[in-house]
Each structure stands twice: as structure tokens, then as C-alpha cells.
Amino acid sequence: MQLPSLLAMLACIVAAIIRRKRHPKVSLTLVIGLGVLFLHTFAFAFIFAFVPDLFAGPGNYTALRTVVNIISFIYNSSLAIAFGIMLAAVFMQRSPSSAQPEESGTLA
């Protein structure tokens, strides 16, 4: 089910590597963010499949719910970090726009 997302991430990593000479810092930051997101996808597929069974015994639904809540919090936190790195790449090395609208004292 995650194959299209993984292929899109790989394509974006390749595109960032190809354009690294034009924008080296942006490309490096984007590759790091996409790499973290790629690893995040694989790591949490295994974590959600195996970790709850290790910490919560059979029939112990309260412990299972607690473990899944903790894993979900870590999942979302690490996902936010990966998206934050990619968002930093988007806004990195931007120059201010030269065509700024003029301010006037009159209202239209």
C-alpha cells in the first residue's frame, strides 16, 4: 500500500541529487528530510507490527492501548520532524521579492 509513496520519495531524492549543483544546501536538506521520511515509513511498519505484542501480553487490552498510544505519539513526533526538515528546505535561501506593492495612504 505504501509503494506509490515510497516511489515518489525516491524520485524526489533523485531529483534533489540531480539539482544539487544549482542549490546545494536546499538539495542536501531535502535529501535528509526525505531520507528520514523513507526510513520512518519502514521503521514504523515493523514497530507497529511487532512492538505492541512484546510489551502487552495477550488479553491485556489496557496495556496494549497504552503501548499503541505511546508508539503513535512517537510516530507523529518523528513524522513532524521529517516534515519540518523538508519545510525548512522549501523556505531555505529565498531572496525577498523585488516587486513589492507600493503602500499608499488612500483607500480604494
Side-chain angles (χ1 to χ4, degrees):
M1 284 185 359
Q2 295 175 343
L3 183 63
S5 296
L6 294 173
L7 291 175
M9 283 184 250
L10 287 175
C12 290
I13 288 172
V14 169
I17 290 171
I18 290 171
R19 296 185 56 92
R20 75 181 180 279
K21 289 184 180 179
R22 184 176 284 181
H23 307 286
K25 289 181 183 178
V26 174
S27 295
L28 177 63
T29 307
L30 184 61
V31 168
I32 290 170
L34 287 169
V36 169
L37 188 60
F38 193 81
L39 293 175
H40 177 273
T41 302
F42 281 113
F44 277 96
F46 287 106
I47 289 171
F48 274 112
F50 298 114
V51 171
D53 294 333
L54 294 175
F55 289 104
N60 192 352
Y61 298 112
T62 306
L64 180 65
R65 186 173 355 130
T66 303
V67 169
V68 169
N69 284 340
I70 291 170
I71 293 172
S72 297
F73 177 78
I74 295 169
Y75 172 87
N76 288 316
S77 298
S78 58
L79 188 63
I81 290 169
F83 281 132
I85 293 170
M86 290 188 295
L87 189 63
V90 168
F91 291 108
M92 185 179 278
Q93 295 183 339
R94 293 231 173 182
S95 59
S97 176
S98 61
Q100 294 181 2
E102 293 182 22
E103 293 183 26
S104 64
T106 61
L107 296 173

